[in-house]
């Protein structure tokens, strides 16, 4: 079983749609959780950290369920500029070894 | 405020050669991590340097080695290159060595091994 698994995608949605990404992780000792965004041929950039209480940043909402070892990202009112690959990322130890999922590609169409 | 920088941006090598990639961390950061991203995959952790020492290592062979300098910049060396080493090599930096600190990535070095 992979350490971090994501929806295989790709997701093709129209502008204005709501899209949800799911992610599961295998190591119950995981301590920190993130969503990164990666544009084509660019480096990953932090989209948001994910907290146990859930957190929201504008159109983006992240949820964490430690009992189920499940992380989600919801994007509301999708924009063309949201088109990218979304990476689910977990940090197991305290020293910063990030474990990435394979990523889910999102294409938002006009 | 300069972000993470990496050099070179692109590199072509042949099997068996050796390569050195360089990274300068974001200003104020003292911890550098290296990742390998193959096409269509997520980045995979190679190792992390803090206080000029390798502190953590992922599942990569000894052909992959590194170094951190007193100014916190870092090098990744790969010996005896294989075709499978072709990938985007990403450097990330953060402060203080703690895993809770956000890691910022550089633009990467694209390595092609022929």
């Amino acid at each position: 079983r992979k350490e971090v698994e994501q929806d295989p995608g790709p997701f093709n949605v129209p502008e204005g749609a709501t899209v949800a990404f799911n992610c599961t992780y295998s190591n119950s000792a995981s301590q920190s959780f993130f969503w990164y965004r990666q544009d084509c041929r660019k480096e990953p950039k932090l989209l948001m950290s994910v907290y146990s209480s859930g957190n929201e940043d504008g159109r983006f909402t992240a949820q964490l369920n430690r009992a189920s070892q499940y992380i989600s990202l919801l994007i509301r009112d999708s924009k063309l500029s949201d088109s990218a690959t979304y990476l689910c990322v977990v940090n197991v130890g305290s020293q910063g070894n990030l474990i990435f999922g394979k990523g889910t590609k999102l294409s938002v169409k006009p | 405020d300069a972000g993470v920088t990496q050099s070179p941006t692109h590199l072509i090598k042949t099997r068996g050669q050796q390569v050195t990639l360089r990274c300068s961390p974001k200003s104020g950061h003292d911890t550098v991590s290296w990742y390998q991203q193959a096409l269509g995959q997520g980045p995979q952790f190679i190792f992390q340097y803090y206080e000029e020492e390798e502190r953590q290592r992922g599942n990569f062979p000894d052909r992959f080695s590194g170094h951190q300098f007193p100014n916190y910049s870092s090098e990744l060396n790969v010996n005896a290159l294989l075709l499978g080493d072709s990938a985007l090599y990403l450097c990330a930096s953060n402060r203080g060595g703690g895993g809770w600190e956000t890691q910022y990535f550089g633009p990467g070095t694209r390595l092609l091994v022929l």
Side-chain angles (χ1 to χ4, degrees):
Chain A
R1 182 184 175 185
K2 291 189 183 299
E3 292 189 81
V4 178
E5 294 203 64
Q6 297 186 236
D7 290 331
F11 284 31
N12 298 302
V13 303
E15 271 187 293
T18 295
V19 61
F21 299 131
N22 301 313
C23 171
T24 56
Y25 59 95
S26 61
N27 193 327
S28 58
S30 300
Q31 298 184 2
S32 311
F33 309 89
F34 311 91
W35 284 100
Y36 274 72
R37 168 195 169 127
Q38 187 171 26
D39 292 293
C40 188
R41 303 186 70 79
K42 298 287 189 180
E43 73 273 23
K45 292 185 178 178
L46 179 68
L47 179 65
M48 57 198 304
S49 300
V50 187
Y51 304 114
S52 296
S53 55
N55 47 301
E56 187 174 305
D57 182 3
R59 298 181 293 109
F60 299 84
T61 301
Q63 297 279 354
L64 167 65
N65 184 322
R66 285 187 184 268
S68 303
Q69 296 180 198
Y70 168 87
I71 308 163
S72 66
L73 176 68
L74 185 74
I75 305 176
R76 292 181 299 277
D77 189 22
S78 299
K79 311 291 185 190
L80 296 177
S81 57
D82 293 334
S83 297
T85 295
Y86 290 83
L87 296 159
C88 177
V89 186
V90 168
N91 177 14
V92 174
S94 61
Q95 295 179 341
N97 172 7
L98 298 182
I99 302 170
F100 285 78
K102 195 174 176 179
T104 303
K105 186 174 181 180
L106 171 66
S107 292
V108 182
K109 306 293 186 184
Chain B
D1 180 16
V4 180
T5 59
Q6 292 185 242
S7 63
T9 56
H10 296 80
L11 206 49
I12 300 175
K13 292 286 188 177
T14 56
R15 279 179 299 175
Q17 285 189 310
Q18 178 264 345
V19 67
T20 298
L21 311 181
R22 296 175 177 82
C23 170
S24 291
K26 184 176 167 66
S27 178
H29 288 185
D30 56 9
T31 304
V32 173
S33 302
W34 286 92
Y35 295 82
Q36 179 196 66
Q37 186 174 23
L39 198 61
Q41 303 294 318
Q44 279 198 297
F45 175 74
I46 303 175
F47 42 53
Q48 184 182 79
Y49 278 85
Y50 175 65
E51 294 187 339
E52 301 180 50
E53 290 189 358
E54 181 185 293
R55 191 168 60 163
Q56 267 193 298
R57 188 179 184 92
N59 189 24
F60 278 81
D62 291 345
R63 298 187 297 109
F64 289 77
S65 63
H67 189 76
Q68 186 178 34
F69 299 94
N71 67 352
Y72 308 120
S73 67
S74 177
E75 287 183 350
L76 164 64
N77 301 293
V78 187
N79 294 323
L81 285 166
L82 303 174
L83 296 180
D85 295 332
S86 296
L88 176 66
Y89 288 85
L90 294 160
C91 169
S93 73
N94 61 279
R95 285 183 311 175
W100 51 89
E101 292 283 345
T102 299
Q103 291 192 17
Y104 293 86
F105 284 82
T109 294
R110 290 194 180 275
L111 172 64
L112 177 61
V113 182
L114 300 176

